[in-house]
Amino acid sequence: MSTASEHAGQAALSICEALLLAMNDRGLLPEHEIVGVLRDAAATHENAVGTDHETENHRAVADLINAIIAGGNSVRRL
């Protein structure tokens, strides 16, 4: 069963993805900079410290961001 925080996370991800696509479409950020933003976000979570549970959560977030990069979801690649 989904929780309110899971819905908020999915909404935030969708909004951010739409913003990245719009910035790329309008020529505000080229693909390599968008990928750089995503890599920076992943690195922040990969390097996070905390309890085992917190570290596990950060690792899952980093894995998700890296999957987005690999899938090309946030840029329209030609």
Side-chain angles (χ1 to χ4, degrees):
M1 182 176 221
S2 295
T3 65
S5 64
E6 289 172 336
H7 293 149
Q10 290 175 354
L13 179 60
S14 294
I15 291 165
C16 289
E17 184 175 4
L19 287 170
L20 290 173
L21 287 168
M23 285 190 277
N24 185 252
D25 289 348
R26 300 282 183 180
L28 299 173
L29 280 179
E31 178 183 332
H32 75 275
E33 288 189 25
I34 291 170
V35 172
V37 167
L38 294 171
R39 284 191 179 132
D40 287 347
T44 297
H45 289 282
E46 289 166 348
N47 297 316
V49 295
T51 66
D52 287 344
H53 178 70
E54 291 167 337
T55 302
E56 183 180 321
N57 285 341
H58 283 292
R59 185 72 236 171
V61 171
D63 290 345
L64 176 59
I65 295 168
N66 286 320
I68 290 169
I69 294 167
N73 293 345
S74 293
V75 291
R76 286 182 174 70
R77 296 184 174 147
L78 302 175

